[in-house]
Amino acid sequence: TIRVDNVIDLSRMEASNGAQMDSGPERRLTTLPHMGGFYGSIPVLRAESVGGPCWVELRLRVLNGRVGFQAFNSHKGEGLARTLAIGAAHDPQTIALRVADFRTAMQIIVTSESSIGAQVEVLDAAVFVDAKDWPQVRARMANHPSNSGKAP
């Protein structure tokens, strides 16, 4: 698989619905104790450049509780794909979510999957495509005004 940079903008991650985002490089989100609530939003840029199927990969450290994440289309109010609950662990975890059609993704949403709330640090976020799809993705990224897609 090939990493497609500049599609998920982790620097613009925001807390929502009463959650708190700590300042600092860790991107630490503290959710409320409401299972299934949407508490964090990471913008997706140029999803149409990815085209079809991909993997959304988050590197995170769940400090307490459980969280999930999903690719989300906010215009339609629908999740495109979502993870199961991700539990607390001492070391960072890398979780990959297969999205069958990423073109309409607008956000990556972080959800609370715990009735006691959760705390998570999001360390990295990226999109990966199959190597056979990379030439088409690279061409679409090159034709986009920002011209910012790149291979590892």
Side-chain angles (χ1 to χ4, degrees), residues 1 10 22 37 45 47 49 53 67 76 101 107 114 120-121 127-128 141 146 148:
T1 58
L10 185 56
D22 291 354
L45 312 171
S49 296
V67 299
K76 292 185 177 180
D101 187 352
Q107 302 166 298
S114 176
V120 59
E121 293 175 343
V127 168
F128 288 81
M141 294 293 282
S146 68
S148 58

Side-chain angles (χ1 to χ4, degrees), residues 33-53:
H34 178 69
M35 188 110 139
F38 289 17
Y39 290 112
S41 173
I42 307 168
V44 171
L45 312 171
R46 298 175 294 281
E48 69 283 354
S49 296
V50 174

Side-chain angles (χ1 to χ4, degrees), residues 26-114:
E26 297 89 20
R27 298 266 170 232
R28 182 178 294 170
L29 177 71
T30 303
T31 74
L32 299 177
H34 178 69
M35 188 110 139
F38 289 17
Y39 290 112
S41 173
I42 307 168
V44 171
L45 312 171
R46 298 175 294 281
E48 69 283 354
S49 296
V50 174
C54 69
W55 291 265
V56 174
E57 187 175 281
L58 292 188
R59 186 167 185 269
L60 47 83
R61 181 181 301 120
V62 180
L63 303 171
N64 58 56
R66 292 185 308 269
V67 299
F69 73 91
Q70 61 182 285
F72 195 77
N73 178 325
S74 54
H75 284 310
K76 292 185 177 180
E78 68 182 7
L80 305 174
R82 68 176 299 140
T83 65
L84 298 175
I86 304 159
H90 176 35
D91 294 321
Q93 304 173 68
T94 300
I95 308 296
L97 172 65
R98 174 124 170 104
V99 181
D101 187 352
F102 195 69
R103 289 176 294 180
T104 62
M106 301 176 76
Q107 302 166 298
I108 304 302
I109 300 292
V110 179
T111 61
S112 174
E113 299 298 330
S114 176

